[in-house]
Amino acid sequence: MFATDTDLKDLLGKVARGDQAALRAIYVRQSTRLYGIAMTLLRDRTLASDVLQAAFLKIWERAHLFDPERTSAETWLLGIVRHVALEAARQRGREAQADDLPAGDTATDQRAMEALLTSAAGRKMLEGLDRLDGRAREAVVLGYVHGLSHGELAARLNVAQATGRSLVRRTLLALREGLA
Amino acid sequence: MSGSIPVIPTDLPADPASREAMAGEYVLGTLDARTAARVAAVLLGDHGWREAVAAWEERLAPLAALARTEAPPANVWDRIEERIAPAEAPRLKRERRWTWVWRLWALAASLGVMAVIGYLVLSRDDAPRLMTVLVSDRNSPGVLAEVDRRGNLRLTLVPAALGRQLQAPSGKSLQVWTLVQGQQAPANAGVLPYEPGKLVVIPASRVSAVAGMLIQITVEPDGGSPTGRPTGPVLLIGRLTMAAPQS
């Protein structure tokens, strides 16, 4: 997807100069991905719509801070959307609608993980996740993708909150080693 | 790495291993609101924390592919556009005698404010050629006006100074006008969005910015002045000046 990211990079440069059509072009290309990310984190259409709107206003205001030397355009956009979405999740108190969450280990079963096969970075991530045990893998995916807090993760994994949190911390560091 | 960074009072972990783990939790999104807010605050001033968080963002980004994709509701883009795009003012309906007076306080735009904001702006690569701070009749700054290299006029709210949103009174609109020195009549540069975001960009095609040009924002009937001239009270005003010695 190199062409896409080059396009996005150029479009962000135009947005930094106040080009509204460029912002619209980014929206057309990325809103389905970014709204999906917000929806998966929040499981609430109204809130996810508000998040997407707030995120695009931030992109409009901060495009001049995007530095293609440091990160890709896709990752930069993702960071803004996740930041706004997590803020929103914390503000509403994360009353997660548990019935909308993937049941059992379906968040991390083989089918769910196939989405990672489409990029080199994703395949590397999949290898890293494969080195973790099932519970650790679930903690990472439920946290990052489905927006569960430490408390919710602990409840889901049937452990005390402190235990859940230390599992998360150990897992992150193991994943870092695995991806290095 | 962070040797020269000023010490920020915080109870966040200082040792690299704990910092690394907490930066990871921050990006993962599992931290409670209070801890996440403390991390967000320390990021503003601490290079080491910023680097750690950036590395985790890069590292974990591929996981986002696991979220489903879904099209947003159709009105989301409209809501975004409403907040960034100045509207065309209505066409001139009838000529009316121009009684509008440019205020003297335009010239008194606070130099102190200019210095502070000017510093922030000029430390960027895309430093503007022309700029000013639009101030109220009490000389309090409301909007930073900059002309970028392409001649677009960028209006950025100064929220800390203004203390409130730049929003038109109910049933009214805020309209932007420009007046080049020596000309008699101000030119319409567009109507601000009803609830503007922090930044509104008026394209170069609608303003021909030159040094010394006055910019003002007036309160007008809903949708903009029906006469093509300012009719309502002046909310903010300022005069464009050269931003800095050109490189």
Side-chain angles (χ1 to χ4, degrees):
Chain A
M1 304 287 274
F2 290 113
T4 305
D5 211 76
T6 309
D7 287 355
L8 283 176
K9 194 177 82 178
D10 294 346
L11 287 169
L12 277 173
K14 289 182 180 171
V15 172
R17 297 190 290 271
D19 185 335
Q20 289 161 15
L23 189 73
R24 168 75 187 167
I26 292 174
Y27 187 87
V28 167
R29 280 154 214 236
Q30 289 281 304
S31 60
T32 301
R33 176 177 88 105
L34 298 174
Y35 180 73
I37 286 164
M39 251 319 269
T40 311
L41 275 169
L42 295 163
R43 296 176 292 285
D44 176 330
R45 275 203 167 68
T46 309
L47 201 52
S49 299
D50 290 349
V51 161
L52 190 66
Q53 179 190 341
F56 267 84
L57 290 175
K58 270 196 169 36
I59 293 163
W60 174 244
E61 287 152 15
R62 297 190 187 171
H64 64 281
L65 299 173
F66 166 66
D67 179 359
E69 304 285 310
R70 294 181 65 88
T71 188
S72 74
E74 280 207 350
T75 302
W76 191 76
L77 295 171
L78 168 71
I80 288 181
V81 168
R82 286 193 83 247
H83 185 79
V84 177
L86 288 170
E87 286 281 302
R90 291 188 189 108
Q91 265 181 22
R92 80 166 174 195
R94 296 217 209 193
E95 50 219 25
Q97 294 150 6
D99 36 329
D100 286 351
L101 277 172
D105 62 355
T106 52
T108 54
D109 70 11
Q110 216 174 349
R111 266 187 80 115
M113 290 301 174
E114 278 172 6
L116 290 173
L117 295 171
T118 54
S119 73
R123 285 190 293 276
K124 198 169 168 198
M125 171 62 75
L126 189 56
E127 284 170 26
L129 289 171
D130 277 343
R131 285 191 209 106
L132 304 173
D133 72 46
R135 251 177 20 151
R137 190 158 51 233
E138 207 179 329
V140 170
V141 172
L142 289 174
Y144 189 91
V145 183
H146 299 278
L148 266 61
S149 65
H150 278 134
E152 290 160 343
L153 276 176
R156 170 106 174 190
L157 299 172
N158 248 326
V159 295
Q161 186 159 339
T163 314
R165 182 161 184 196
S166 64
L167 169 73
V168 165
R169 293 168 75 98
R170 276 201 315 277
T171 301
L172 282 171
L173 297 178
L175 188 60
R176 185 185 64 169
E177 298 313 311
L179 295 172
Chain B
M1 207 65 187
S2 56
S4 61
I5 298 299
V7 178
I8 293 162
T10 169
D11 48 346
L12 295 177
D15 68 290
S18 305
R19 181 180 73 188
E20 181 69 9
M22 193 179 272
E25 291 176 297
Y26 176 75
V27 174
L28 190 66
T30 50
L31 290 177
D32 63 82
R34 218 169 61 87
T35 315
R38 272 155 47 211
V39 173
V42 85
L43 287 178
L44 298 173
D46 189 312
H47 182 73
W49 269 96
R50 257 200 319 271
E51 292 285 303
V53 164
W56 277 111
E57 283 185 335
E58 208 63 46
R59 208 173 274 138
L60 296 180
L63 283 170
L66 295 176
R68 62 169 175 257
T69 55
E70 187 172 337
N75 65 349
V76 176
W77 172 256
D78 297 338
R79 282 157 50 194
I80 294 165
E81 196 173 34
E82 272 169 20
R83 303 201 46 188
I84 62 169
E88 295 274 4
R91 296 211 167 263
L92 184 64
K93 282 177 191 154
R94 57 188 183 282
E95 197 64 35
R96 188 185 281 177
R97 186 172 164 72
W98 177 48
T99 57
W100 173 70
V101 180
W102 290 96
R103 308 290 177 91
L104 280 175
W105 40 261
L107 308 174
S110 155
L111 289 175
V113 172
M114 283 289 287
V116 171
I117 297 176
Y119 171 77
L120 292 173
V121 169
L122 296 175
S123 53
R124 301 194 324 235
D125 294 342
D126 57 344
R129 294 182 303 115
L130 295 167
M131 61 175 295
T132 187
V133 176
L134 306 187
V135 297
S136 72
D137 57 356
R138 288 197 225 143
N139 215 22
S140 66
V143 166
L144 170 65
E146 307 164 72
V147 180
D148 69 20
R149 288 180 190 283
R150 304 195 163 200
N152 303 313
L153 178 63
R154 301 166 67 90
L155 304 176
T156 311
L157 292 196
V158 183
L162 198 65
R164 59 189 156 81
Q165 284 281 342
L166 185 69
Q167 196 177 3
S170 176
K172 302 278 186 184
S173 288
L174 298 183
Q175 193 163 355
V176 183
W177 306 90
T178 59
L179 181 65
V180 177
Q181 279 178 314
Q183 285 190 356
Q184 296 299 309
N188 162 39
V191 178
L192 290 180
Y194 178 63
E195 242 180 280
K198 282 191 208 121
L199 170 68
V200 174
V201 179
I202 298 176
S205 57
R206 282 213 216 146
V207 284
S208 312
V210 291
M213 187 174 84
L214 278 174
I215 299 171
Q216 77 166 13
I217 299 176
T218 60
V219 181
E220 299 294 338
D222 193 20
S225 164
T227 69
R229 300 284 161 79
T231 62
V234 178
L235 200 65
L236 295 168
I237 193 166
R239 188 186 292 279
L240 283 178
T241 53
M242 295 302 288
Q246 295 299 292
S247 52

